[in-house]
Amino acid sequence: KYHVHVHLDIFVNGVQMRVPAGAGIVAPRIYEPAPGGVFVDNSTSSCLYWLHVHANDGIIHIEAPSAGHFTLGQFFDIWGQPLGPDQVGPARGPVTAFVDGERFTGNPRDIVLRSQSVLQLDVGTPVVPFKPMTFHVTGACSTTCAPPPQG
């Protein structure tokens, strides 16, 4: 089983926005208190997508039967939000993307999700200086049952 993590920060005009806990986890969900907020998981009668978020900590979990080519665009499709060179979710404006501190030139949908990569999307100005991070993810997610959408 393939289980890795990617960190995503989103800034709109310099203000940090968060991917909501539970993105990619199908209802009914289990909500558990956790440091800094809530931890969302699937129940025994639901499932989660291979790309999902348990908490609003910026960590995208990639949990699949085997390693694959997963992209940020696939995650945004699962989340149900648009992503492109001029839009991140509902925020519109020029998008500046960073992957592990390096500026990404191209459509942010094409960013490949690699184990322990740190991604940053800035919409508009100012562009926030990139902040590296160290991963401290522990524990395992529940069983998955749905692949990411193709497209």
Side-chain angles (χ1 to χ4, degrees):
K1 188 171 169 170
Y2 183 69
H3 187 175
V4 299
H5 305 98
V6 174
H7 186 266
L8 173 63
D9 278 326
I10 301 171
F11 296 92
V12 177
N13 298 320
V15 177
Q16 188 167 20
M17 303 297 172
R18 293 283 187 188
V19 176
I25 301 176
V26 179
R29 300 179 181 116
I30 298 171
Y31 296 86
E32 301 171 8
V38 65
F39 182 88
V40 180
D41 210 349
N42 60 307
S43 72
T44 57
S45 62
S46 69
C47 61
L48 43 83
Y49 283 91
W50 292 354
L51 309 177
H52 59 274
V53 175
H54 287 287
N56 71 345
D57 57 4
I59 302 292
I60 299 171
H61 295 251
I62 303 164
E63 194 174 354
S66 61
H69 180 84
F70 303 104
T71 66
L72 193 57
Q74 288 174 312
F75 172 72
F76 269 75
D77 291 346
I78 289 167
W79 181 20
Q81 295 294 322
L83 176 63
D86 296 309
Q87 186 170 10
V88 176
R92 294 182 179 271
V95 175
T96 304
F98 296 94
V99 177
D100 297 325
E102 299 293 323
R103 187 159 179 180
F104 180 85
T105 56
N107 190 330
R109 292 187 58 78
D110 299 331
I111 294 173
V112 176
L113 303 178
R114 292 190 171 89
S115 180
Q116 298 195 2
S117 280
V118 179
L119 312 178
Q120 179 174 317
L121 301 175
D122 288 84
V123 181
T125 57
V127 172
V128 175
F130 180 82
K131 296 176 192 164
M133 67 149 307
T134 303
F135 282 78
H136 297 288
V137 178
T138 59
C141 301
S142 301
T143 307
T144 63
C145 65
Q150 300 299 310

